[in-house]
């Protein structure tokens, strides 16, 4: 007797037919989705604390994690343990993005300009063992006495500026090593907090210094097979409301001229601007970009990513233009007020759901309507497709990938919390 079809399978069969009638092959879509890696950010697990000291995020970089939910990972082992759980609840094969402050130095103090690949060997061995798609990296130009003046790579103090240049160079060596070890290029992203709270007189000087610092940092050519430089702009931050040295125009210019990647963070523009519209613009002039998918509420608040219109707009841009080989999808949010594993799972599953919905779009149909100038039907269709049965495909995809279907992942996170958190 044929095996009884589960609810998930029944719903999928119906959805499959519905999509097929619109010219969409759900099997192909699921295969494609399975090939798209998302880079999970390690810093969601401990509120951007790192393991350099017990102090954690100092706030001198204008980024802030709020909340004090219990159970925060206090060591690399704990963070890896949490990540293993999280990865078991997310379909697909993904990457991990590390920050320099997550180095493992065996209890010894190692200055940031002295960090070496060996300080990340345990992470690399773990990533290989867990068969991660790859590792990405970030210099940590904040939460440090030499960043407390608000300036790092653009500092007027030559000693401070040089220190951060050396940090950037150390990070590139680490990133390149990670890329070689993982056999997948490491995206090494640079974000600095440099800027002024109040109106400056000299807007030019700091930018000249930042350019000089980047030139010095990037002087050694590294093979894109192993390592990709990326630079991240920002409109303003807490404490840099009036002026940010690394503005969008600044880094866009630098990236085009020097052929680096540009990082677009969802929270780093005016609240009415979305990064979705910037993808095709920047990719007209750049080979590749990095996304920091985040959710800003009224400011760059780094809320957990949810299935919002903004997120969908990003996913549609990637899918409609098949940009997946040129756009590295990274996550960048941190919420200390809810279970941190749940935050990771919610954000990553939302990102993947958005990609699935976008890949399931009967795009040729809508394109034709647009080409014919039938904007009435275009709007009508865009609205209709919002309620196509993507959730049946999502559930089936999760089942296929042996991860919890629906909200079942929540029970697992709760059980983990009950078992593990009291020991922390
Ligand atoms: C800060 C930037 C940056 C950081 C992480 C921790 O505004 O978005 O990417 O969030 O590097
Ligand atoms: Zn970011």
């Amino acid at each position: 007797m044929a095996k009884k079809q589960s609810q998930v399978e029944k719903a999928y069969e119906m959805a499959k037919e519905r999509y097929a009638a619109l010219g969409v092959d759900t099997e192909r879509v699921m295969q494609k989705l399975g090939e798209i890696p998302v880079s999970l950010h390690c810093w969601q697990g401990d509120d951007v604390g790192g393991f350099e000291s017990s102090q954690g995020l100092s706030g001198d970089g204008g980024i802030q994690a709020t909340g004090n939910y219990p159970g925060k990972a206090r060591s690399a082992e704990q963070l890896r343990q949490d990540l293993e759980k999280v990865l078991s609840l997310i379909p697909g094969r993904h990457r991990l993005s590390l920050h320099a402050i997550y180095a493992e130095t065996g209890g010894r103090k190692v200055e940031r300009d002295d960090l070496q690949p060996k300080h990340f060997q345990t992470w690399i061995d773990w990533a290989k063992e867990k068969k991660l798609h790859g590792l990405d990296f970030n210099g940590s130009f904040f939460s440090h006495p030499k960043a407390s003046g608000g300036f790092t790579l653009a500092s007027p103090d030559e000693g401070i500026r040089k220190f951060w240049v050396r940090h950037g160079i150390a990070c590139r060596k680490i990133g390149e090593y990670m890329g070689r070890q993982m056999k997948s290029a490491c995206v090494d992203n640079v974000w600095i907090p440099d800027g002024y709270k109040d109106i400056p007189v000299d807007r030019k000087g700091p930018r000249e210094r930042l350019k000089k610092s980047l030139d010095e940092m990037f002087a050694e050519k590294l093979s894109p097979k192993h390592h990709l430089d990326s630079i991240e702009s920002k409109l303003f931050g807490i404490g840099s409301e009036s002026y940010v040295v690394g503005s969008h125009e600044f880094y866009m210019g630098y990236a085009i001229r020097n052929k680096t990647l540009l990082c677009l963070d969802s929270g780093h523009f005016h609240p009415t601007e979305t990064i979705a519209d910037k993808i095709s613009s920047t990719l007209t002039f750049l080979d590749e970009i990095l996304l920091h998918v985040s959710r800003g509420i009224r400011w760059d608040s780094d809320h957990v990513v949810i299935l919002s219109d903004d997120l969908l707009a990003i996913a549609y841009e990637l899918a409609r233009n098949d940009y997946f080989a040129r756009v590295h999808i990274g996550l960048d949010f941190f919420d200390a007020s809810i279970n941190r594993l749940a935050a990771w799972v919610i954000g990553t599953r939302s990102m993947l759901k958005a990609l699935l919905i976008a890949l399931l779009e009967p795009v040729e149909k809508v394109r034709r309507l647009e080409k014919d100038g039938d904007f009435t039907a275009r709007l009508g269709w865009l609205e209709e497709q919002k309620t196509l049965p993507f959730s049946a495909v999502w559930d089936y995809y999760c089942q296929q990938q042996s991860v919890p279907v629906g909200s079942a992942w929540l029970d697992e996170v709760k059980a983990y919390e009950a078992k593990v958190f009291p020991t922390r």
Side-chain angles (χ1 to χ4, degrees), residues 76 171 194 295 381 402:
C171 288
D194 301 31
R295 178 168 57 110
W381 250 100
S402 310

Side-chain angles (χ1 to χ4, degrees), residues 319-336:
R320 288 172 185 161
N321 300 301
D322 198 11
Y323 274 146
F324 295 106
R326 298 173 63 194
V327 179
H328 304 258
I329 306 170
L331 302 174
D332 183 12
F333 52 80
F334 29 99
D335 190 337

Side-chain angles (χ1 to χ4, degrees), residues 30-42 83-98 123-124 126-136 182 184-185 324 327-331 344-356 359 394 397-398 401 403:
M30 286 189 292
Q31 198 198 337
K32 175 103 187 167
L33 182 62
E35 288 161 8
I36 304 171
V38 171
S39 195
L40 275 76
H41 51 316
C42 78
L83 276 163
E84 279 169 32
K85 186 73 211 173
V86 166
L87 290 169
S88 77
L89 305 174
I90 294 167
R93 189 165 164 243
H94 301 291
R95 305 172 67 86
L96 177 69
S97 184
L98 286 162
W123 279 112
I124 295 167
W126 175 82
K128 280 186 194 165
E129 191 200 310
K130 298 294 160 204
K131 299 201 165 41
L132 292 196
H133 184 281
L135 285 172
D136 298 311
M182 297 301 296
S184 168
F324 295 106
V327 179
H328 304 258
I329 306 170
L331 302 174
W344 256 323
V345 177
I346 294 166
T348 315
R349 283 176 69 116
S350 299
M351 182 74 243
L352 294 170
K353 266 185 224 165
L355 291 171
L356 175 68
L359 289 167
W394 170 250
Y397 178 68
C398 287
Q401 298 266 338
V403 302

Side-chain angles (χ1 to χ4, degrees), residues 394-412:
W394 170 250
D395 287 346
Y396 184 75
Y397 178 68
C398 287
Q399 182 174 291
Q400 252 194 350
Q401 298 266 338
S402 310
V403 302
V405 172
S407 60
W409 64 266
L410 254 174
D411 302 332
E412 294 216 25

Side-chain angles (χ1 to χ4, degrees), residues 242-258:
S242 298
Y243 171 74
V244 168
V245 185
S247 62
H248 178 57
E249 291 73 11
F250 177 90
Y251 281 133
M252 178 84 184
Y254 194 92
I256 291 170
R257 182 182 279 184
N258 298 283

Side-chain angles (χ1 to χ4, degrees), residues 297-344:
I297 296 202
R298 305 194 191 283
W299 72 289
D300 180 29
S301 58
D302 289 302
H303 277 64
V304 177
V305 165
I306 56 171
L307 191 54
S308 63
D309 283 351
D310 268 6
L311 186 68
L312 279 167
I314 293 169
Y316 277 126
E317 274 308 298
L318 303 184
R320 288 172 185 161
N321 300 301
D322 198 11
Y323 274 146
F324 295 106
R326 298 173 63 194
V327 179
H328 304 258
I329 306 170
L331 302 174
D332 183 12
F333 52 80
F334 29 99
D335 190 337
S337 74
I338 58 174
N339 180 303
R340 294 173 184 79
L341 287 85
W344 256 323

Side-chain angles (χ1 to χ4, degrees), residues 344-404:
W344 256 323
V345 177
I346 294 166
T348 315
R349 283 176 69 116
S350 299
M351 182 74 243
L352 294 170
K353 266 185 224 165
L355 291 171
L356 175 68
I357 295 171
L359 289 167
L360 285 170
E361 179 182 46
V363 66
E364 289 319 319
K365 187 179 174 74
V366 200
R367 271 192 209 286
R368 217 175 314 119
L369 296 171
E370 182 165 283
K371 221 170 124 222
D372 295 345
D374 190 349
F375 303 146
T376 310
R378 177 182 64 183
L379 182 63
W381 250 100
L382 288 176
E383 205 49 22
E384 277 308 316
Q385 72 184 33
K386 284 182 180 168
T387 48
L388 286 177
F390 68 85
S391 73
V393 184
W394 170 250
D395 287 346
Y396 184 75
Y397 178 68
C398 287
Q399 182 174 291
Q400 252 194 350
Q401 298 266 338
S402 310
V403 302

